[in-house]
Amino acid sequence: MESLQQFWVLFMDLVRQFNFADAVDVLAVSFIIYSGIKLVRESRAEQLVKGLLLVVVVFALSNYLELRMMKELLTMFFQFTMVALLIVFQPELRRALEQMGRNGVGKPFSLAAAQKDIEAELKNERRGIYAVADACMTLQKQKMGALVVFERKTKLKEIVDTGTVVNAEPTAAIIGNIFFNKAPLHDGAMIMREGMVYAAGCILPLTKNDSISIDLGTRHRAAIGMSENSDAVVVVVSEETGQISLAINGILTRNYTRETLINALEELLLPEAGSEKKQGFFSRRKRGNEE
C-alpha cells in the first residue's frame, strides 16, 4: 500500500507539471514511432528489424553470462549501427521521405501557378487518358503487351533516362505503334507526363514483394515495383491474356474495361477529382483484388 501511495503521489506531481509543450512533444514522438512501425510492417524491413532485435538479445545474454569475446564482437558491431541502419534501410527511408514530400510540402508556393493553367492541364491529362484507354483496347484485341506509367508528383527522371524521350502528342495510334511487337521500344515502359507521351522504352524496377502471385510476369512485377517506388499510376496490358490491370501504391487491380479504366485514371490523375470519387475507386480496387 505504501508503494502504491508513493506511486500515486509521484504520478499526480507529473500530471501537475504536464503542460501544452509536453503534450505536443508526446504526440509528435508517438506519431514518429507509429510511422516507423507502419513503415517496417509494410516493407521487407520487418524481417531486418527482427534480426536486429535478435542481435540485441544475444548481446544482453553475452553481457549477463560474461561471454567476453561475444560481447566485444557485438560492441564493435553496435559502434557502426547507425551507419549500418542507414545502408540497410535506405530503400525504406527514401520511400518514407518521398511520401512526406508528396503530402503537401511546397503546395502553397505552387498553388498560384497551378491555377493559371488548370484548364489546359485538365484538357491535356484527359486527352492522354483517353488515348491510353483506346490504345489498350486495340492492344488487348491483338494480344500485345503494354506498360504505361502516368507520372504524378514524383518526377521519374531516373526512369526516363533509361529510355528514349519522345515528347509527342498522345494518340491511340502513336501508343499502339510504340507497343507493336516489332517496334524497337515495345519491350520497355512508356512514361506519360502532363498528358504527353514523354518517353518510351524505359526500364522499371521490379517489385521485391515475395507474396506476389507466381502467375504474374515481368511486366506486371515492373508495374507493381514502379508503383511501390513512386506515386505513379501504372497501366498494364497482358500479352498472354489481353487483360488490363492498374498498379498504384504497390497494389495491382485487374479486369478493367475501357470505361472503368478511364474512370479510375480520371479519379487518380485529374485535380478536380474529389475524395468521394477516389473512395469509389478504392472500393473497386478492393473488389478487383478479391477477384
Side-chain angles (χ1 to χ4, degrees):
M1 287 295 295
E2 187 175 344
S3 299
L4 287 174
Q5 188 175 7
Q6 291 176 353
F7 174 79
W8 177 255
V9 171
L10 179 61
F11 176 75
M12 293 305 297
D13 287 339
L14 291 173
V15 170
R16 282 191 288 269
Q17 296 174 15
F18 197 79
N19 53 35
F20 179 74
D22 294 327
V24 173
D25 190 23
V26 170
L27 288 174
V29 172
S30 300
F31 177 75
I32 292 172
I33 293 174
Y34 168 77
S35 300
I37 294 173
K38 185 179 178 183
L39 177 66
V40 167
R41 289 183 63 86
E42 292 178 351
S43 67
R44 296 175 298 118
E46 184 175 4
Q47 303 303 320
L48 297 175
V49 169
K50 290 179 181 178
L52 287 174
L53 289 176
L54 180 61
V55 172
V56 171
V57 171
V58 172
F59 177 76
L61 288 174
S62 65
N63 190 39
Y64 178 76
L65 298 174
E66 297 184 356
L67 305 177
R68 296 182 180 179
M69 289 188 63
M70 180 67 72
K71 181 181 176 181
E72 288 297 322
L73 182 64
L74 292 177
T75 300
M76 293 176 60
F77 170 79
F78 285 125
Q79 288 177 353
F80 303 97
T81 298
M82 185 57 66
V83 176
L85 287 175
L86 290 175
I87 294 172
V88 171
F89 293 112
Q90 186 269 337
E92 285 75 19
L93 291 172
R94 177 176 176 178
R95 184 180 177 187
L97 291 173
E98 286 179 348
Q99 290 177 346
M100 289 172 61
R102 291 180 214 139
N103 291 335
V105 177
K107 280 185 179 178
F109 303 98
S110 61
L111 184 60
Q115 288 295 333
K116 295 179 182 178
D117 299 322
I118 188 68
E119 290 299 326
E121 290 178 8
L122 285 171
K123 183 178 179 181
N124 291 339
E125 287 285 3
R126 187 171 281 110
R127 181 176 57 184
I129 289 170
Y130 276 78
V132 169
D134 290 338
C136 286
M137 293 301 102
T138 302
L139 294 168
Q140 182 184 53
K141 293 175 183 177
Q142 297 177 353
K143 292 293 182 68
M144 292 183 184
L147 189 55
V148 182
V149 180
F150 284 89
E151 182 184 72
R152 295 207 284 180
K153 292 180 182 178
T154 303
K155 298 304 177 185
L156 306 177
K157 183 180 183 302
E158 294 179 359
I159 303 299
V160 169
D161 288 344
T162 64
T164 302
V165 174
V166 179
N167 203 24
E169 296 285 340
T171 66
I174 288 177
I175 297 170
N177 284 339
I178 288 174
F179 289 112
F180 178 64
N181 56 18
K182 302 294 183 182
L185 301 177
H186 82 280
D187 269 340
M190 187 179 74
I191 309 297
M192 296 289 295
R193 173 180 291 180
E194 297 178 356
M196 299 287 287
V197 178
Y198 188 72
C202 301
I203 300 173
L204 305 186
L206 298 180
T207 181
K208 297 180 181 178
N209 188 345
D210 296 331
S211 64
I212 297 296
S213 171
I214 58 174
D215 295 332
L216 297 178
T218 304
R219 188 175 280 112
H220 290 82
R221 292 176 181 273
I224 297 172
M226 186 74 260
S227 69
E228 288 174 339
N229 287 278
S230 71
D231 64 343
V233 179
V234 189
V235 178
V236 192
V237 180
S238 172
E239 188 172 352
E240 288 77 20
T241 65
Q243 191 176 79
I244 299 173
S245 305
L246 196 64
I248 180 171
N249 294 331
I251 298 175
L252 185 76
T253 54
R254 312 174 79 175
N255 298 320
Y256 281 86
T257 64
R258 180 181 183 278
E259 290 72 23
T260 57
L261 180 62
I262 289 173
N263 289 338
L265 291 175
E266 285 184 341
E267 290 166 16
L268 290 164
L269 300 173
L270 299 185
E272 67 180 7
S275 59
E276 294 181 1
K277 288 184 177 181
K278 290 185 179 181
Q279 287 296 326
F281 165 71
F282 287 119
S283 65
R284 288 198 303 275
R285 186 175 74 176
K286 183 178 180 181
R287 290 199 300 271
N289 285 337
E290 292 172 352
E291 293 175 2

